[in-house]
Amino acid sequence: MGKKAKRDKKGKGAEKTLAKMGKKVSRRAKKEEEDLEALIAEFQSLDAKKTQVIESSCPPPSPRLNCSLCAHPERDELILFGGEYFNGQKTYLYNDLYIYHIRKNSWAKLDIPNPPPRRCAHQAAVVPTAGGQLWIFGGEFASPNGEQFYHYKDLWVLHLATKTWEQIKAPGGPSGRSGHRMVACKRQLIIFGGFHESARDFIYYNDVYAFNLDSFTWSKLAPAGMGPAPRSGCQMTPTPEGNIIIYGGYSKQRIKKDVDKGTLHTDMFLLKAEGAGKEEARWAWSRLSPSGVKPSPRSGFAVAAAPNNRCLLFGGVHDEEEEESIEGDFFNDIYFYDLGKNRWFPAQLKGPKAEKRKRRRGRQAEAEAAGQQELQLPPPQAPLEIVKEVVAEDGTVMTIKQVIPGAAEDKDRSGSEEEEEEEEEEEGGALGQPVEPCPRSSAMVAVKHGVLYVYGGMFEVGDRQVTLSDLHSIDLHRLDEWKVLLEMDPKTQEWLEESESDEEEDDDDVEGAEGGEEEEESSEEESEDEEGEQQHPAVQPGEAQAQYLARTEQYWLRLARSHMGPEAKDKKVLKVAHAMAKTFYEDPI
């Protein structure tokens, strides 16, 4: 038997196994999804009360994960939809729609009748048709306790010009799933992979579907050759020629009862359309072997199309589970993939601000005129990778990895330069501005006019999850510096221990899944931590300032460190942590 025949036989066997697993998962998940359908229907009845389009200025969106962020095809706007938030006890799902006005650096909330149900881990793609369309497929809904899941298989389109939602009902589409990937390519929406999970079982997919944007019909593709193994959360990029590139992703397998093993994929594939432009194009998989410096293995990275025929990868996390600790390496680096040259390379930021350079050059010139010794600055060097271990109260080890551009230049600065920088920071306020986003996974990214926008994401400290809501940008042409458009508000951070309000869980199911801010605030006020480890302990009347700062010091130190980076001096971090704590409390003593 030839090699080709063996590969074909192996592929057919894998397809049969996948089909059997799919039926098994489908049977067990049916009961769960029936339970959640009633809850989803109740939420939709609340949404049905919306009868008119209302656009209003608003504060930035609350912290959330697994939402979608897309650039408007015609306007200087970013569109954010859906997402989820977990506070340690409950999962909150959203279906709200926000518009970020780039030029004004402001947010607006857009209430439109008959929106898609609340969801997260869906996919969204924008096309320029008829003034712009935002297409959304799939995703998941979770019960407030996070133990039951409903996976959507619906397709929606938001007509941006008329501000109307429309559900497209077409047969033959993908099964319900989340964590899949979808891109717009040559008047088609191409969907790949994803997973479906119930309380006891899960299945990962590697199938490919195409939705025709002209005929509004689904077709399941059957590419020739060996394609990627089943996975979710991969990078999916269309090429100008109408082909698709797949990189990385995550999947897990059950190796024995109640024991699962995760896999971080690092392979790369090309899905090529042979005979593109014809009525029925033939597709074929082939494996790619890119050159250059590849990203380290990770999951939870964000991807976007970049200028100059490139795509980019941002952030992510590499988790390693051990017997007594969970180590997570979080990233905030950028990698580019050149589609034409089939080459990976890391982004190299150009270092300090030009304005600072001018000030320093001016001071050096004055020193020379006075006959003093000229300051010698070392040449800029490659980015420095710094690893910092944080030990939580429960002993869990958390490793945060950060890439610092031009680290050698900062490391070898003279004492006078450090003093000057400290003065500049004091002039600009105690909190200052971080020079780059802190390491994170599951960030939302979008590119508009060659500028990358990074919103939110998360990182973990021990068993606690910090969900971010900050917004950063960087010019991908110049790559000179990150700009902070929105800092994270410490007031939005909430973490409740599992034992704090389990008895109230059943009564709060609807409010929790709906994601109302009022319910979150009341839960924070009512919950108490018997051991004094509450995330945001309230300030009691007459309590001394030093006392309450000491109670929260560990929390604020972690938060300040995440913004300032592992290389920041402990004295500065402590100062910023105290300032952040004072900012949080309305009336500190």
Side-chain angles (χ1 to χ4, degrees):
M1 184 181 294
K3 290 184 179 180
K4 184 177 183 300
K6 286 183 180 179
R7 286 198 300 268
D8 292 342
K9 186 176 181 180
K10 182 179 179 181
K12 291 179 180 178
E15 289 177 4
K16 290 181 180 179
T17 303
L18 195 63
K20 289 180 181 179
M21 180 61 71
K23 292 179 181 179
K24 182 180 178 182
V25 171
S26 179
R27 287 194 300 267
R28 294 187 176 181
K30 187 175 181 181
K31 176 70 168 60
E32 289 183 21
E33 298 196 341
E34 286 176 352
D35 294 339
L36 291 179
E37 280 177 355
L39 191 57
I40 295 172
E42 186 173 349
F43 297 148
Q44 286 186 286
S45 67
L46 296 174
D47 291 331
K49 296 179 181 179
K50 299 177 182 178
T51 58
Q52 57 183 345
V53 177
I54 301 176
E55 183 172 359
S56 55
S57 299
C58 66
S62 59
R64 62 190 64 196
L65 293 176
N66 298 321
C67 56
S68 56
L69 184 69
C70 300
H72 195 295
E74 295 184 356
R75 300 181 181 178
D76 292 336
E77 298 174 349
L78 304 180
I79 308 166
L80 186 149
F81 173 77
E84 65 176 325
Y85 175 73
F86 179 62
N87 70 354
Q89 288 183 357
K90 297 175 185 175
T91 300
Y92 299 84
L93 275 296
Y94 305 100
N95 67 340
D96 40 14
L97 186 68
Y98 288 91
I99 305 296
Y100 175 71
H101 298 283
I102 294 176
R103 294 187 178 183
K104 299 178 181 178
N105 188 23
S106 63
W107 290 90
K109 189 172 183 180
L110 193 56
D111 287 315
I112 300 176
N114 303 312
R118 291 159 174 77
R119 68 189 63 205
C120 65
H122 55 279
Q123 280 289 281
V126 170
V127 296
T129 305
Q133 295 176 339
L134 174 72
W135 289 83
I136 289 175
F137 174 80
E140 71 182 41
F141 178 90
S143 61
N145 61 13
E147 295 180 357
Q148 291 179 300
F149 304 94
Y150 181 92
H151 294 267
Y152 295 102
K153 57 179 179 180
D154 51 354
L155 180 66
W156 293 77
V157 58
L158 172 63
H159 300 280
L160 298 173
T162 59
K163 294 183 173 62
T164 55
W165 282 109
E166 179 185 2
Q167 184 177 5
I168 306 300
K169 297 181 178 180
S175 57
R177 63 190 65 195
S178 56
H180 51 288
R181 290 296 177 259
M182 179 175 77
V183 296
C185 181
K186 300 288 187 181
R187 296 299 300 161
Q188 293 185 109
L189 299 176
I190 308 294
I191 292 176
F192 169 79
F195 71 95
H196 187 289
E197 185 174 13
S198 65
R200 293 187 296 172
D201 294 301
F202 55 84
I203 181 173
Y204 284 79
Y205 301 105
N206 64 347
D207 47 5
V208 187
Y209 284 82
F211 180 78
N212 190 297
L213 292 172
D214 296 317
S215 63
F216 281 23
T217 56
W218 284 106
S219 60
K220 184 177 182 180
L221 307 184
M226 287 292 292
R231 65 191 66 192
S232 69
C234 61
Q235 174 178 354
M236 187 177 186
T237 305
T239 71
E241 299 78 24
N243 303 322
I244 303 292
I245 291 175
I246 300 291
Y247 167 76
Y250 174 84
S251 66
K252 62 181 180 181
Q253 294 179 333
R254 181 148 296 169
I255 55 178
K256 57 183 179 180
K257 187 176 181 181
D258 298 329
V259 178
D260 303 328
K261 182 181 179 182
T263 300
L264 290 176
H265 299 279
T266 59
D267 46 5
M268 201 164 190
F269 292 84
L270 174 68
L271 180 60
K272 188 175 182 180
E274 299 175 347
K278 298 181 181 179
E279 291 186 5
E280 291 189 7
R282 297 174 56 190
W283 297 80
W285 286 111
S286 61
R287 189 154 185 160
L288 293 176
S289 298
S291 61
V293 181
K294 304 174 186 177
S296 58
R298 63 187 72 186
S299 63
F301 52 77
V303 298
N308 302 321
N309 196 29
R310 298 168 179 170
C311 61
L312 66 84
L313 179 152
F314 170 81
V317 60
H318 182 272
D319 288 324
E320 290 186 4
E321 297 186 10
E322 298 181 359
E323 291 183 2
E324 298 182 357
S325 65
I326 299 177
E327 293 189 0
D329 293 341
F330 286 82
F331 304 95
N332 63 347
D333 46 2
I334 298 176
Y335 278 85
F336 289 105
Y337 174 72
D338 192 307
L339 300 176
K341 298 179 181 179
N342 187 28
R343 183 174 69 92
W344 282 104
F345 61 96
Q348 300 286 346
L349 271 65
K350 297 181 180 179
K353 297 181 180 179
E355 191 174 335
K356 275 188 180 178
R357 291 198 193 101
K358 290 179 181 178
R359 284 201 296 266
R360 289 176 182 171
R361 282 199 295 267
R363 288 173 182 141
Q364 290 175 20
E366 291 174 4
E368 289 176 10
Q372 296 179 5
Q373 184 178 1
E374 181 182 359
L375 296 174
Q376 296 293 332
L377 294 178
Q381 297 185 10
L384 176 67
E385 185 180 86
I386 296 179
V387 178
K388 179 76 173 179
E389 286 192 352
V390 178
V391 181
E393 292 89 338
D394 57 2
T396 305
V397 179
M398 186 66 186
T399 303
I400 298 180
K401 183 179 293 184
Q402 188 168 20
V403 178
I404 308 299
E409 191 171 0
D410 292 336
K411 182 178 179 181
D412 296 334
R413 289 176 302 179
S414 65
S416 60
E417 283 181 338
E418 290 183 355
E419 291 175 4
E420 289 167 4
E421 231 179 60
E422 287 177 4
E423 291 174 2
E424 289 165 3
E425 287 180 3
E426 289 175 1
E427 291 172 3
L431 291 179
Q433 286 190 344
V435 295
E436 56 188 0
C438 68
R440 64 190 68 193
S441 72
S442 304
M444 280 59 68
V445 299
V447 174
K448 184 68 177 181
H449 299 315
V451 177
L452 170 67
Y453 295 87
V454 177
Y455 170 78
M458 60 82 72
F459 64 89
E460 297 170 344
V461 179
D463 294 331
R464 298 177 181 178
Q465 175 177 302
V466 178
T467 304
L468 303 167
S469 57
D470 49 358
L471 181 64
H472 296 74
S473 70
I474 186 169
D475 190 311
L476 296 175
H477 294 287
R478 295 199 298 263
L479 284 176
D480 49 358
E481 61 175 341
W482 283 97
K483 293 182 179 179
V484 183
L485 304 175
L486 173 66
E487 294 214 45
M488 183 181 67
D489 183 0
K491 295 180 182 180
T492 63
Q493 291 302 307
E494 177 186 50
W495 188 260
L496 305 177
E497 299 297 335
E498 292 184 3
S499 60
E500 286 178 5
S501 62
D502 290 344
E503 297 178 359
E504 302 175 6
E505 185 174 291
D506 294 337
D507 297 333
D508 296 334
D509 276 1
V510 173
E511 291 86 351
E514 185 179 1
E517 285 80 0
E518 294 179 1
E519 194 280 335
E520 292 183 40
E521 293 174 1
S522 62
S523 296
E524 183 179 345
E525 293 171 0
E526 295 171 5
S527 60
E528 295 180 358
D529 192 333
E530 297 177 358
E531 299 179 1
E533 295 181 354
Q534 186 176 351
Q535 188 74 350
H536 287 154
V539 181
Q540 301 298 328
E543 185 177 16
Q545 180 179 4
Q547 187 176 356
Y548 87 77
L549 277 177
R551 291 176 61 196
T552 60
E553 186 174 62
Q554 291 302 316
Y555 167 75
W556 296 111
L557 279 174
R558 288 195 296 267
L559 204 59
R561 176 69 70 181
S562 72
H563 275 277
M564 301 179 68
E567 80 287 357
K569 293 182 179 179
D570 291 341
K571 186 177 179 181
K572 287 186 178 180
V573 173
L574 183 63
K575 182 179 178 181
V576 171
H578 281 210
M580 293 174 77
K582 290 178 182 178
T583 302
F584 173 78
Y585 295 108
E586 295 181 357
D587 187 22
I589 300 172

